[in-house]
Amino acid sequence: MDKQRLALTALTLLPLAVACGTESASGSGSVGSAESPVTGVHWTVDSLTVDGTTRQAPASAYLRIGEDGRASGNLGCNGFGSTATVKGDRIEFGRLETTDMGCQKGPMTFEENMSRTFVNSSFTTKVKGDKLTLTTDDGDRVSLSKEQDAPLYGTKWTVTALGDANSAQSLPKGAEDKAYFVLDQKHGTLSGRLGCNHVSAKATVRDGHITLGAAKTTRMMCDGSLMDTEKTLLGLFGGTVVYELDHRTLTLTSANGAIISAVADE
């Protein structure tokens, strides 16, 4: 796994759940207007154009700007928090505070370019329908789309990272996109794949918690990376986890502090 780390000015480690967009913070002005609002919207990053080269964004990259001037989101691998200062159609972000998670080379390369663009630039904003474009004075551009929240039930949640309150890592090479689960409200079940084996269990959702019954699994043997991921995920069953749904990201926290992050499939 690529263990690169961001090298940002005043880098600060924040909890993984930084990207809710509801915390208060200093900031000036409201962003957008009644005709072209950008606040209170989950903007999925579509692409980043730097020096004429366009890079498609990882599925996890997004931006949310609160009415209080607080900005949060994901740079492609790590979550971030900042402030947003607006003057007319101009927006400038303050110091970025990020988590410190190692990801595969592709997401990390996108993230490094994205973070440099945010740190060193102010932007002109343009909203057209469900599209938002942020453009620097040098012509670099971030293209974003408004996206609706994913429902908890019936969504295929693909596991993207494992960790705890202090750190997290993306799934090891060979295990990416292999682990997922679906919650069925009608039947009160969770089903999916642990990385190697398929799994099903009773699932009761109540007051921000999911109580999982004993896991019923197939009995296949797979490569080490898949089995390691599977072992961690099996630890969720037969107990209660706290869940946090933030747009298209679902975070599960077990009683022993293990944190599993998943994103909604398209």
Side-chain angles (χ1 to χ4, degrees), residues 68-88:
D68 57 2
R70 179 71 178 175
S72 60
N74 186 287
L75 295 165
C77 172
N78 285 281
F80 75 91
S82 185
T83 55
T85 302
V86 177
K87 295 180 180 178

Side-chain angles (χ1 to χ4, degrees), residues 151-152 155 157-161 181 183 190 210 242-253 259-264:
L152 177 64
T155 297
W157 295 102
T158 299
V159 177
T160 56
F181 58 91
L183 288 162
L190 175 148
I210 303 174
V242 176
Y243 78 88
E244 181 179 355
L245 176 57
D246 179 17
H247 188 63
R248 300 187 68 82
T249 300
L250 182 64
T251 304
L252 306 179
T253 305
I259 295 177
I260 288 82
S261 297
V263 297

Side-chain angles (χ1 to χ4, degrees), residues 27-65:
S28 60
S30 60
V31 186
S33 65
E35 292 76 28
S36 57
V38 300
T39 57
V41 174
H42 185 107
W43 296 103
T44 296
V45 180
D46 297 324
S47 64
L48 172 67
T49 301
V50 177
D51 296 331
T53 299
T54 299
R55 297 173 175 85
Q56 297 303 306
S60 57
Y62 75 93
L63 170 67
R64 187 180 183 92
I65 303 170

Side-chain angles (χ1 to χ4, degrees), residues 100-114:
D100 190 22
M101 184 173 72
C103 291
Q104 300 297 322
K105 185 176 181 180
M108 286 302 294
T109 299
F110 182 91
E111 176 162 306
E112 289 161 2
N113 283 281
M114 185 81 161

Side-chain angles (χ1 to χ4, degrees), residues 1 58-60 104 107 156-162 169-181 192-198 225-226 229-230 233 261-266:
M1 180 185 300
S60 57
Q104 300 297 322
K156 181 181 178 182
W157 295 102
T158 299
V159 177
T160 56
L162 307 174
Q169 293 183 339
S170 58
L171 299 192
K173 187 175 181 180
E176 310 99 317
D177 301 325
K178 296 294 194 302
Y180 68 89
F181 58 91
R193 190 175 178 185
L194 298 168
C196 176
N197 285 284
H198 292 275
S225 61
L226 291 174
T229 298
E230 182 160 310
L233 294 176
S261 297
V263 297
D265 271 19
E266 296 296 333

